[in-house]
Amino acid sequence: MKRVQKMKIRYSALIIILAIIQACSVEKFIPEDEFLYTGTEFKFEQDSTIADQPKLRTELENVLRPQPNSKILGMRPGLYFHYKSQREKPGFINKFLNKKIGEEPVYLSDVDLQNTEDLLLNRLENRGFFYSRVDSNSETNEESKTASTSFTLNVATPYTMETYQLDTDSLLVYKDIKDNLDDTVLEEGMRFDLPELKKERERIDLQLKKEGYYNFNPGFLIFEADTNQYDKKKFDLFLRLKKDVPPKSVIPYQISNVNVYPNYNVDEDTLSKNYKRYKDKNYLQEELFFKPEYLDPYILIETGDYYDPEKSRNTSRRLGTIGVYKFVNIRYDEVDTLATDSLGLLEANIFLSPLKKRAIRAELQAVTKSNSFAGPHLALTFVNRNLFKGGETLNISANLGYEVQIGNSNVPGRNSLQLGVTNDLIVPRLLFPVKINNNFFQYDIPKTKISLGGDILRRSQLFSLASLNSSFGYFWNANRYVTHEINPISLNYVRLNNVTPEFQEVLDDNPFLQSSFDQEFIAGLTYSFIYNGMIDTAKRNVFFVNTNFDIAGNTISLFGKETENGKKEILGLEYAQYAKLDMDLRYHLRLGGGNVIATRLFAGYGIPYGNSDVMPFSKQYFSGGPYSVRAFNTRTLGPGTFNPNEVSIQQEMDGVDDDEINNLGYRDQTGNIRFEANAEYRFPIVTYLNGAFFVDAGNVWTSDANPETTNVEGGSGKFESDFINELGIGTGAGLRIDIQSFVIRFDLAFPLHDPRKPAGERWVNDFGSPVFNFGIGYPF
């Protein structure tokens, strides 16, 4: 009986599918004298084997116009809704769908076979297949009212290059071309290839521009092929200048003078007459705006050098990174040059239009976190640019936030108040006791960053946490992909205040947690390396790597004094000693049309030693949340198989008071080892709205077993060989509002594997209890 019911269901589903296909049929809309164009077919007939035939086929297919209407599962929904919208009363839905996915019909009458034959023959000849033939044909289907075309390409044996030579002439430009001819992109034995010849002209033009040929143009070069010396299809290739090339185009130009306008006003278009001569450059400014000795290292254009467009681009880029200028414009003016001169002269003018000196920005934010905390945040930022007339920028930021945890009203710490102030002074040069040659940093000049800030966090009925931090370091771009940041001095002072008796009991019961708060002073060195290949928007495969290294306590340990408890202190403060290394590796596969497969792998390890038995609380890892494993709330995953609910059960069995059991609700779950892997498929839905399906896996562990993270079942938070079985795994879907790279993200995630459950019960399918995540920006 059940089998019959299943057959009926399948039969009904088949009828529904066929009905949908029939409903979306477009044959009834096609005019009587037209046939719907469905595409074309290529047939190759060649005299010899064609090298790179797939590449040649792709190039030929790109010639075909027009493209047929798109199909999905045998249907043409775009064409269907276009036809429906043309009716007298199309209806709102048909008009809306036509606007979003509608397509104009493409008929056989729109295809120009003769023109396409000419285009295909032209492409074949450009690739060296001279004397080829192209024939076309069309086939129609009266029943379905469709038509297709086919092209037969009789491809002749291509001509191949035997030699590549440069004509001789007394002009200096011929000598400069010859000196760089070894770098040619043309190879002996290659077939005649017009696009490759264009590349060779552009290569020569670029090289000549670097050697000062300001007025040269690749169109001045011409190739000639000579086939008279060979019986078979071979040719000698000759390169020469065209006739009647302007004389000024074949002489190099030298920079006669460099004028720099550090405070140029675009609107007024006024040029100052006051100037200071510094290192063979004129710095023209009515009043001192930017000190020439600090601006000069950013300018690569020097008096006496030959014109070089690459130096111009690099100078413009470097000046733009100072953070003071809104516009950078470099203009070259020719100094009077005679046609008979063998050297031209250029005057370089660098116009720098500054940003507003001071700016204030205020932001009111409504913050929602995945640990159920929500509330308003007010952020104020004050910027003062060019503070000491050397490009310095002072950023002062203040943040005030109040958060309340939704639900769990009986749990202490559900309200928090946070106040923070940060001061950053960025100096666009290297403040270092030993002078370093500017040529050492060719791509970018390092910037010095001096930071000082403080935060106060008040968790109601629990504690107050005050922190002061300061750092001194450098950051710079090694090239357009790689960024380095190193802080030789990094200081952090943390102090726990206003501890309530309830929270003190938790600290007394958990020596690991107590120890992490006892380390009030952190002094060390941090280094960050970033490779960002994702800036290449045209590439299909892109990578991103971020590696961070943090080491603390080694230098100050030389001055520490040992206390009664065996720990060392400096200035009466116990200091932390640890080393921490982590790496964030991302790979994106761009499928086209806004579709992306994004993956991420994160691994981090921190080890306490010397004066520390445990990593400082602020330096530990956590897992879960909108930028981690999204099926678990922030800081609720791990370490290992630790489950605070099982601890509560054990405490209840031991007769612990209910209020003390509830105190576990605010305990963050952290570790000194973290491993995560994420994968996400992103796709567009409509304008500004994208969707995603994702899978996340990860957890945190400790390097040593912690009695406080040991479950009733016997599991612990220690990292061991079976860590794969302790991964939290989740999946879900999300929506992203993407407006000019500003992304508001909503993700709904479901746990698949919960390490907090007993072994054998960890695979779950609890789709009735999803975790909602809200975030700004993509997770990776």
Side-chain angles (χ1 to χ4, degrees):
M1 185 68 179
K2 290 183 178 180
R3 184 177 179 182
V4 173
Q5 289 178 343
K6 289 181 179 179
M7 291 179 64
K8 288 182 177 180
I9 292 173
R10 292 174 182 172
Y11 180 71
S12 300
L14 180 61
I15 292 176
I16 292 173
I17 293 172
L18 291 175
I20 293 174
I21 295 175
Q22 180 63 30
C24 291
S25 175
V26 297
E27 284 84 355
K28 56 188 175 184
F29 299 108
I30 300 174
E32 292 185 4
D33 57 342
E34 296 284 4
F35 291 91
L36 192 66
Y37 174 60
T38 59
T40 193
E41 179 186 4
F42 276 131
K43 298 177 183 178
F44 279 94
E45 295 180 359
Q46 61 260 19
D47 298 338
S48 60
T49 303
I50 301 175
D52 300 327
Q53 181 170 321
K55 182 179 179 181
L56 177 63
R57 176 184 287 271
T58 300
E59 182 178 353
L60 295 174
E61 288 175 348
N62 290 336
V63 170
L64 301 177
R65 294 290 185 278
Q67 295 295 323
N69 293 111
S70 58
K71 294 178 65 176
I72 301 176
L73 300 177
M75 299 178 289
R76 299 181 177 88
L79 182 58
Y80 174 79
F81 288 111
H82 168 78
Y83 280 132
K84 295 285 283 185
S85 67
Q86 305 304 309
R87 298 188 307 179
E88 184 176 349
K89 295 181 179 180
F92 170 77
I93 294 178
N94 289 326
K95 291 172 65 176
F96 173 79
L97 292 174
N98 176 56
K99 184 178 180 180
K100 294 299 180 182
I101 64 172
E103 297 179 359
E104 293 277 349
V106 180
Y107 299 121
L108 179 63
S109 59
D110 298 322
V111 181
D112 189 337
L113 293 178
Q114 184 59 50
N115 182 60
T116 304
E117 285 184 17
D118 294 340
L119 289 173
L120 292 172
L121 191 60
N122 174 264
R123 295 298 186 273
L124 288 172
E125 291 179 347
N126 288 346
R127 292 296 186 179
F129 300 99
F130 296 99
Y131 308 112
S132 296
R133 296 195 314 274
V134 178
D135 298 314
S136 62
N137 187 30
S138 61
E139 295 183 4
T140 59
N141 188 319
E142 295 287 348
E143 183 178 350
S144 62
K145 301 211 69 176
T146 58
S148 63
T149 61
S150 62
F151 292 91
T152 302
L153 289 77
N154 194 313
V155 182
T157 302
Y159 280 77
T160 57
M161 187 179 74
E162 189 70 13
T163 63
Y164 174 35
Q165 306 170 47
L166 176 68
D167 276 358
T168 57
D169 196 283
S170 59
L171 290 175
L172 177 63
V173 68
Y174 275 90
K175 178 182 179 302
D176 289 329
I177 295 174
K178 187 175 182 180
D179 289 343
N180 296 287
L181 211 59
D182 290 339
D183 298 329
T184 179
V185 299
L186 307 180
E187 299 177 356
E188 181 181 338
M190 65 173 284
R191 70 173 181 238
F192 180 89
D193 195 318
L194 186 59
E196 289 298 311
L197 298 184
K198 290 181 179 179
K199 287 182 183 178
E200 176 68 359
R201 290 200 313 177
E202 292 168 357
R203 182 196 68 82
I204 294 172
D205 173 65
L206 180 61
Q207 191 62 45
L208 290 176
K209 286 285 193 343
K210 290 182 179 180
E211 296 178 6
Y213 289 85
Y214 176 71
N215 287 315
F216 196 80
N217 187 295
F220 296 154
L221 295 168
I222 187 171
F223 289 101
E224 293 179 342
D226 182 7
T227 61
N228 295 326
Q229 306 299 320
Y230 306 99
D231 294 333
K232 296 184 178 180
K233 292 187 174 182
K234 294 183 179 181
F235 64 93
D236 293 323
L237 187 67
F238 294 90
L239 173 65
R240 65 173 178 84
L241 288 177
K242 291 181 179 179
K243 295 179 180 180
D244 301 325
V245 172
K248 289 185 177 182
S249 302
V250 291
I251 60 172
Y253 278 74
Q254 197 174 40
I255 306 299
S256 64
N257 203 8
V258 180
N259 299 318
V260 184
Y261 299 87
N263 192 17
Y264 177 67
N265 191 323
V266 178
D267 296 328
E268 296 179 6
D269 197 23
T270 56
L271 301 181
S272 173
K273 301 300 181 182
N274 298 329
Y275 75 94
K276 177 181 178 181
R277 189 76 174 171
Y278 183 81
K279 289 191 175 181
D280 295 328
K281 301 182 186 71
N282 297 321
Y283 287 85
L284 297 96
Q285 44 191 334
E286 289 292 341
E287 297 179 357
L288 181 62
F289 177 79
F290 205 121
K291 296 178 181 179
E293 58 268 29
Y294 294 144
L295 190 59
D296 188 77
Y298 283 86
I299 300 174
L300 301 176
I301 304 169
E302 300 288 346
T303 301
D305 286 353
Y306 284 102
Y307 165 77
D308 186 346
E310 187 172 350
K311 283 187 177 180
S312 293
R313 288 191 295 269
N314 290 339
T315 296
S316 179
R317 174 181 49 76
R318 286 159 68 103
L319 289 169
T321 62
I322 295 177
V324 172
Y325 291 110
K326 185 177 183 180
F327 298 112
V328 177
N329 181 32
I330 300 177
R331 189 186 74 200
Y332 290 94
D333 296 330
E334 289 190 51
V335 179
D336 291 341
T337 304
L338 299 177
T340 57
D341 289 346
S342 60
L343 183 68
L345 296 177
L346 291 174
E347 187 174 63
N349 297 283
I350 303 175
F351 303 100
L352 305 174
S353 303
L355 292 161
K356 290 184 178 180
K357 181 173 177 58
R358 298 177 182 87
I360 298 177
R361 183 179 65 194
E363 292 183 22
L364 182 61
Q365 304 170 340
V367 177
T368 303
K369 299 181 179 179
S370 62
N371 58 356
S372 300
F373 273 84
H377 276 237
L378 175 63
L380 296 174
T381 303
F382 170 74
V383 180
N384 192 340
R385 301 183 179 93
N386 201 29
L387 189 61
F388 305 116
K389 302 186 186 303
E392 305 84 1
T393 300
L394 176 65
N395 296 313
I396 301 176
S397 301
N399 183 282
L400 175 64
Y402 175 78
E403 297 176 1
V404 58
Q405 190 174 31
I406 301 171
N408 298 324
S409 58
N410 297 324
V411 178
R414 71 185 189 95
N415 299 325
S416 70
L417 181 67
Q418 183 176 4
L419 174 64
V421 178
T422 303
N423 303 274
D424 293 330
L425 177 63
I426 299 175
V427 182
R429 53 191 169 275
L430 196 65
L431 300 182
F432 197 70
V434 179
K435 186 176 181 179
I436 298 177
N437 193 315
N438 289 331
N439 293 330
F440 185 79
F441 298 99
Q442 295 184 354
Y443 186 82
D444 190 21
I445 294 179
K447 295 179 177 61
T448 303
K449 183 178 180 180
I450 305 170
S451 299
L452 177 64
D455 289 280
I456 298 177
L457 173 65
R458 173 62 180 168
R459 294 284 290 270
S460 64
Q461 305 177 46
L462 293 177
F463 60 83
S464 295
L465 191 66
S467 65
L468 291 174
N469 54 79
S470 178
S471 65
F472 178 90
Y474 314 98
F475 63 95
W476 70 97
N477 296 320
N479 52 52
R480 66 189 298 257
Y481 301 106
V482 176
T483 302
H484 299 275
E485 181 172 355
I486 183 169
N487 292 298
I489 300 175
S490 178
L491 306 175
N492 193 3
Y493 169 72
V494 180
R495 186 170 183 83
L496 193 63
N497 297 309
N498 302 320
V499 177
T500 62
E502 294 86 357
F503 188 66
Q504 186 61 53
E505 288 184 14
V506 174
L507 294 178
D508 293 339
D509 293 338
N510 190 341
F512 276 68
L513 185 62
Q514 175 71 60
S515 179
S516 67
F517 280 110
D518 285 342
Q519 298 172 31
E520 299 174 324
F521 189 55
I522 302 173
L525 175 148
T526 64
Y527 169 73
S528 175
F529 168 88
I530 295 177
Y531 170 83
N532 185 10
M534 296 185 181
I535 59 176
D536 287 332
T537 56
K539 283 190 175 181
R540 179 180 173 87
N541 301 279
V542 291
F543 291 89
F544 173 91
V545 180
N546 182 13
T547 301
N548 297 287
F549 177 66
D550 185 357
I551 186 168
N554 287 358
T555 302
I556 62 173
S557 65
L558 301 174
F559 309 99
K561 294 183 179 180
E562 190 169 339
T563 61
E564 295 179 356
N565 61 3
K567 300 293 184 180
K568 288 185 177 181
E569 294 182 351
I570 185 168
L571 301 177
L573 301 174
E574 182 178 321
Y575 61 86
Q577 206 167 1
Y578 65 88
K580 182 181 177 183
L581 177 67
D582 54 51
M583 183 180 72
D584 187 343
L585 173 63
R586 306 176 189 181
Y587 165 70
H588 286 190
L589 173 61
R590 294 165 176 162
L591 303 175
N595 294 273
V596 178
I597 296 177
T599 61
R600 169 178 171 265
L601 185 67
F602 182 93
Y605 179 62
I607 179 171
Y609 61 89
N611 208 44
S612 299
D613 298 322
V614 61
M615 294 281 292
F617 186 79
S618 61
K619 298 295 182 178
Q620 294 182 16
Y621 295 112
F622 68 89
S623 189
Y627 301 92
S628 180
V629 185
R630 284 162 280 187
F632 300 86
N633 287 327
T634 302
R635 299 176 183 262
T636 63
L637 187 57
T641 60
F642 174 68
N643 187 347
N645 292 329
E646 290 190 2
V647 178
S648 300
I649 293 172
Q650 184 63 52
Q651 289 184 335
E652 186 176 354
M653 294 171 59
D654 294 340
V656 178
D657 189 276
D658 289 343
D659 292 337
E660 294 185 17
I661 294 175
N662 287 335
N663 287 344
L664 288 167
Y666 55 77
R667 177 180 296 172
D668 292 328
Q669 297 163 225
T670 59
N672 63 309
I673 300 173
R674 179 185 173 194
F675 178 79
E676 287 184 2
N678 312 77
E680 189 169 276
Y681 170 56
R682 301 169 184 167
F683 54 91
I685 300 177
V686 294
T687 305
Y688 302 131
L689 181 63
N690 300 327
F693 297 108
F694 58 83
V695 177
D696 304 321
N699 206 335
V700 295
W701 295 266
T702 59
S703 52
D704 295 313
N706 181 353
E708 294 300 317
T709 59
T710 300
N711 290 333
V712 178
E713 295 288 326
S716 73
K718 184 178 180 182
F719 185 83
E720 296 176 335
S721 58
D722 64 339
F723 73 94
I724 293 294
N725 296 320
E726 299 179 357
L727 293 174
I729 304 175
T731 187
L735 296 174
R736 289 85 194 277
I737 301 172
D738 189 344
I739 303 175
Q740 295 181 349
S741 298
F742 178 77
V743 179
I744 301 174
R745 177 167 53 91
F746 306 94
D747 289 329
L748 199 63
F750 307 88
L752 295 178
H753 188 266
D754 191 343
R756 299 172 298 188
K757 293 184 177 294
E761 301 178 15
R762 293 173 184 168
W763 288 104
V764 296
N765 56 356
D766 190 7
F767 293 103
S769 302
V771 176
F772 175 75
N773 293 268
F774 169 79
I776 301 297
Y778 287 104
F780 51 88

